[in-house]
């Protein structure tokens, strides 16, 4: 609606009174802008109604508004209508146009009234106002181009050109404003997305929406638009590195944190929450490592053993809650610790060697292994000292135990050989094996008699078969080689084989008399006894045994003189006057025995008168 100027205009219209007063005919209308100051002139009502000013005075002209507020007063003297209260068109009429005050000017004597309409024209006295001056939008960054966001409308109570005419939005590349006219003249204000949002670039967008009216000058009101760009899971987690390298000493306890991987996700909230998991990794490796799903710590789940595996590759996946992922690889290198003792393997072993084995005879072959590497796996071996065996390396980690000097079972019949191997780790680990090497016997010792010669005594008149004594020979060898047999060596005594005098028990070495000896016939004799062992060939030695026969008093003395014949007495002649001490005769006797047994003494046995003779 065009209101070209604000000057007052009169309009005279026909008006059919609805009041029951005296009929009245015409009405006057004025047009004034709102907001005129109190006392401002509206119009010369007297003139416009064609009335004399006196008539107004005398007729007590007054304004009748019914119940409505009185904005206008009548000055009877001047015959004009004046503003009594400032009129706000918007208060009075709101958006209704035209806006007019209708009232009556009532006169008395005669009673009559006139209808007056005062149109209140709009002035641009209202700024467009947004009831909600803050508009908050939460828009996902994944919102598609063309998405519409309804904005609050501003309100401008003014009407016509003073009313709200247009909206403007802060320049932004993301949004464009779109106004849609509604049938009722209102506008729908929309913000259209024309370029995708990217939370990672700009999370908050502050815009100002201005509403502008058509007044001159125009007035405008603004509202803040606060767009929060909501994260869409448009970013996958990204590992800081695609290849991680870490080391772990073997035998590190379970639960050792080996390394930490980290992925970040440019998104926000749940979309940026990264969880870690092991993926695409061999099941056995999975059994050894685990990843803390929240912080990315790689943790050992079991003891790692350098000897079983030196490198492990673990693929770790980082996932956000939206299912976007990234992966990285961790190479875990296991550091060798000296955790393995050398292992001594006896490859081949002779438990028994003959005592006549030549030096350099190989007794045992030994192999050593150490599962560790580097110095931890370098091994040195040694054997105990003071044994006739040395350890000779043959090649790397192979050794021979070799005899290096003469053996003698009779000196040492077994050796305990302790092979000790130590590695060069710090601290060093070692292990040892003890072998028992037995030295087998060779018949290298002849029996040896306990004495270099024997002498034995036997009393004559012995019973045949009497054991005279025992010879004993020892043999330092073993078993059969040491089993000694005694043999009487052939010889003759007085032209008689010695075997007719004595015998030797082969097993025991006991010498028996074969016959009864007569000292008076043979006083001693000697022979040889041989001791022979059971070796093959046998070894022997001999010893001289001398037998001395001891005398027994087995022979009575025999009187040789005077000779007795046939039991007759022997007569001796003695002179009558023989003096005392006269030798009558000499008795001569002998004894076949020897020694004391042959010592003779004489005494008178029978005498008629003992006082007459004596014997010396
Ligand atoms: C060898 O060792 C065994 C068992 O320990 C022991 O009985 C034997 O006397 C040892 N031999 C030597 C010659 O030390
Ligand atoms: C007896 O032993 C000696 C050395 O002790 C030896 O010379 C001699 O030949 C041996 N006699 C016999 C019959 O073996």
């Amino acid at each position: 609606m065009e209101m070209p100027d604000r000057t007052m205009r009169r309009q005279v219209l026909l008006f059919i009174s609805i009041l029951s007063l005296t009929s009245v005919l015409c009405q006057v209308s004025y047009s004034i802008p709102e907001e005129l100051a109190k006392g401002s002139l509206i119009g010369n009502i007297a003139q416009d109604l064609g009335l004399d000013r006196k008539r107004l005075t005398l007729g007590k002209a007054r304004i009748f508004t019914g119940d409505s507020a009185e904005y206008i007063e009548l000055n009877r003297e001047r015959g004009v209508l004046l503003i009594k209260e400032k009129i706000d068109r918007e208060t009075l009429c709101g958006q209704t146009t035209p806006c007019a005050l209708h009232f009556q000017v009532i006169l008395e004597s005669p009673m009559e009234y006139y209808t007056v309409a005062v149109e209140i024209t709009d002035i641009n006295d209202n700024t467009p106002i947004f009831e909600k001056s803050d508009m908050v939008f939460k828009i996902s960054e994944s919102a598609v181009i063309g998405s519409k966001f309804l904005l609050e409308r501003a309100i401008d109570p003014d009407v016509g050109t003073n009313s709200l005419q247009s909206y403007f939005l802060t320049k932004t590349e993301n949004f464009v404003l779109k106004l849609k006219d509604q049938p009722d003249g209102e506008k729908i204000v929309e913000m259209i997305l024309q370029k995708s949002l990217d939370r990672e670039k700009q999370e908050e967008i502050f815009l100002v929406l201005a509403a502008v009216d058509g007044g001159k000058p125009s007035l405008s009101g603004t509202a803040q638009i606060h767009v929060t760009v909501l994260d869409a899971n448009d970013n996958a987690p990204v590992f800081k590195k695609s290849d991680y390298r870490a080391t772990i000493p073997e035998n590190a306890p379970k639960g050792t944190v080996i390394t930490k991987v980290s992925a970040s996700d440019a998104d926000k909230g749940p979309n940026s929450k990264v969880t870690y998991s092991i993926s695409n990794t061999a099941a056995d490796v999975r059994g050894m490592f685990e990843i803390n799903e929240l912080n990315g710590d790689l943790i050992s789940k079991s003891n790692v053993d350098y000897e079983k595996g030196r490198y492990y590759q673990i693929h770790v996946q980082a996932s956000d809650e939206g299912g976007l992922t990234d992966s990285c690889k961790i190479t875990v290198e296991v550091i060798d610790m000296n955790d393995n003792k050398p292992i001594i393997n006896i490859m081949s072993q002779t438990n028994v060697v003959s005592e006549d084995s030549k030096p350099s005879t190989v007794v045992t072959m030994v192999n050593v292994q150490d599962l560790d590497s580097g110095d931890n796996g370098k091994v040195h071996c040694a054997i105990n000292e003071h044994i006739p065996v040395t350890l000779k390396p043959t090649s790397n980690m192979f050794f021979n135990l070799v005899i290096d000097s003469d053996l003698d079972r009779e000196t040492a019949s077994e050796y305990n050989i302790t092979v000790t191997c130590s590695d060069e780790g710090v601290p060093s680990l070692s292990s040892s094996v003890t072998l028992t090497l037995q030295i087998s016997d060779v018949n290298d010792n002849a029996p040896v008699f306990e004495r270099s010669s024997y002498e034995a005594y036997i009393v004559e008149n012995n019973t045949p078969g009497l054991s005279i004594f025992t010879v004993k020979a020892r043999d330092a060898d073993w078993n059969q080689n040491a089993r000694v047999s005694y043999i009487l060596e052939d010889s003759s005594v007085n032209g008689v084989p010695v075997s007719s005098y004595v015998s030797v028990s082969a097993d025991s070495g006991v010498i028996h008399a074969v016959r009864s000896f007569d000292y008076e016939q043979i006083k001693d004799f000697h022979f040889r006894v041989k001791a022979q062992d059971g070796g093959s060939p046998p070894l022997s030695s001999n010893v001289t045994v001398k037998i001395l026969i001891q005398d027994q008093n087995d022979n009575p003395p025999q009187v040789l003189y005077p000779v007795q014949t046939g039991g007759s007495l022997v007569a001796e002649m003695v002179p009558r006057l023989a003096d005392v001490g006269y030798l009558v005769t000499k008795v001569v006797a002998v004894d076949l025995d020897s020694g004391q047994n042959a010592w003779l003494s004489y005494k008178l046995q029978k005498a008629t008168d003992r006082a007459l003779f004596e014997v010396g």
Side-chain angles (χ1 to χ4, degrees), residues 448-463:
V448 175
F449 282 100
E450 284 171 342
R451 294 163 63 176
S452 58
S453 64
Y454 291 93
E455 262 186 13
Y457 297 86
I458 182 166
V459 178
E460 62 175 332
N461 304 322
N462 60 288
T463 51

Side-chain angles (χ1 to χ4, degrees), residues 57-72:
T57 333
L58 295 174
K60 295 177 182 162
R62 59 190 170 92
I63 285 173
F64 173 77
T65 61
D67 295 332
S68 308
E70 288 188 9
Y71 290 105
I72 292 171

Side-chain angles (χ1 to χ4, degrees), residues 489 528 530 540-543:
E489 297 261 22
R528 288 185 165 271
K530 185 165 85 172
S540 64
S541 58
N542 61 61
V543 74

Side-chain angles (χ1 to χ4, degrees), residues 51-352:
L51 297 173
D52 188 351
R53 268 186 279 172
K54 279 191 186 142
R55 168 75 182 120
L56 294 181
T57 333
L58 295 174
K60 295 177 182 162
R62 59 190 170 92
I63 285 173
F64 173 77
T65 61
D67 295 332
S68 308
E70 288 188 9
Y71 290 105
I72 292 171
E73 67 174 339
L74 176 63
N75 185 312
R76 289 182 203 147
E77 288 72 35
R78 290 172 56 199
V80 293
L81 289 172
L82 300 172
I83 299 290
K84 188 181 177 190
E85 288 290 334
K86 201 187 236 188
I87 302 166
D88 178 27
R89 194 202 67 81
E90 287 72 31
T91 312
L92 199 61
C93 297
Q95 288 296 298
T96 310
T97 54
C99 176
L101 286 169
H102 297 274
F103 57 91
Q104 282 76 41
V105 175
I106 297 172
L107 294 157
E108 293 171 11
S109 329
M111 191 170 289
E112 58 181 355
Y113 73 91
Y114 298 90
T115 293
V116 180
V118 177
E119 189 194 357
I120 313 299
T121 61
D122 187 46
I123 64 166
N124 195 17
D125 59 346
N126 284 288
T127 302
I129 286 174
F130 289 95
E131 274 182 2
K132 261 176 77 184
S133 62
D134 275 310
M135 291 175 243
V136 173
F137 291 92
K138 293 184 191 305
I139 305 171
S140 165
E141 61 179 324
S142 66
V144 294
I145 291 173
S147 299
K148 299 173 189 173
F149 304 94
L150 187 65
L151 303 181
E152 291 284 323
R153 284 183 294 198
I155 291 167
D156 187 333
D158 293 330
V159 294
T161 50
N162 292 332
S163 71
L164 189 57
Q165 297 299 309
S166 195
Y167 291 89
F168 299 97
L169 186 66
T170 322
K171 199 162 164 47
T172 158
E173 54 181 9
N174 295 110
F175 295 101
V176 67
L177 201 61
K178 187 174 178 196
L179 304 177
K180 274 203 286 194
D181 288 317
Q182 291 293 92
D184 63 1
E186 294 285 358
K187 285 179 166 52
I188 288 180
V189 188
E190 287 173 338
M191 199 166 67
I192 312 286
L193 185 68
Q194 65 169 1
K195 178 171 183 283
S196 292
L197 297 169
D198 183 357
R199 190 201 63 79
E200 290 70 40
K201 245 166 80 183
Q202 190 178 14
E203 188 170 1
E204 306 280 339
I205 302 173
F206 294 95
L207 299 172
V208 176
L209 177 67
V212 182
D213 66 20
K216 284 187 179 152
S218 63
L219 297 174
S220 63
T222 58
Q224 309 295 321
I225 299 173
H226 178 192
V227 176
T228 302
V229 181
L230 296 181
D231 189 50
N233 193 23
D234 55 349
N235 287 283
V238 177
F239 273 107
K240 294 211 170 87
K241 295 197 277 182
S242 60
D243 257 309
Y244 287 84
R245 303 191 81 82
T247 58
I248 180 172
E250 64 172 331
N251 301 331
K254 281 181 207 173
T256 300
V257 176
I258 302 163
T259 188
K260 187 187 194 71
V261 296
S262 173
S264 55
D265 190 303
D267 291 324
K268 218 193 157 186
N271 292 333
S272 71
K273 195 177 164 209
V274 176
T275 56
Y276 302 92
S277 59
I278 292 179
S279 64
N280 293 325
T281 300
D284 54 336
V285 178
R286 261 172 211 264
M288 299 177 69
F289 301 99
E290 65 186 348
I291 194 132
N292 182 312
E293 105 175 351
L294 299 178
N295 67 16
D297 282 350
L298 182 71
I299 297 163
S300 67
K301 230 163 99 177
S302 63
N303 283 339
V304 290
D305 185 351
Y306 179 85
E307 285 67 41
K308 289 187 186 146
R310 297 175 181 201
Y311 291 95
Y312 293 97
Q313 289 205 334
I314 300 142
H315 293 270
V316 177
Q317 174 173 298
S319 318
D320 64 21
E321 297 211 337
L324 298 178
T325 62
D326 188 20
S327 68
C328 73
K329 190 176 79 181
I330 308 174
T331 304
V332 176
E333 184 185 346
V334 181
I335 296 172
D336 186 41
M337 302 301 276
N338 192 21
D339 62 341
N340 287 284
K341 289 181 175 183
I343 300 165
I344 303 174
N345 302 306
I346 304 300
M347 296 161 66
S348 143
Q349 177 187 3
T350 315
N351 291 317
V352 181

Side-chain angles (χ1 to χ4, degrees), residues 414-434:
E414 67 171 23
Y415 293 100
N416 287 337
I417 305 170
T418 303
V419 180
T420 305
C421 297
S422 315
D423 62 30
E424 288 185 10
V426 178
S428 165
L429 294 177
S430 65
S431 48
S432 62
V433 165
T434 298

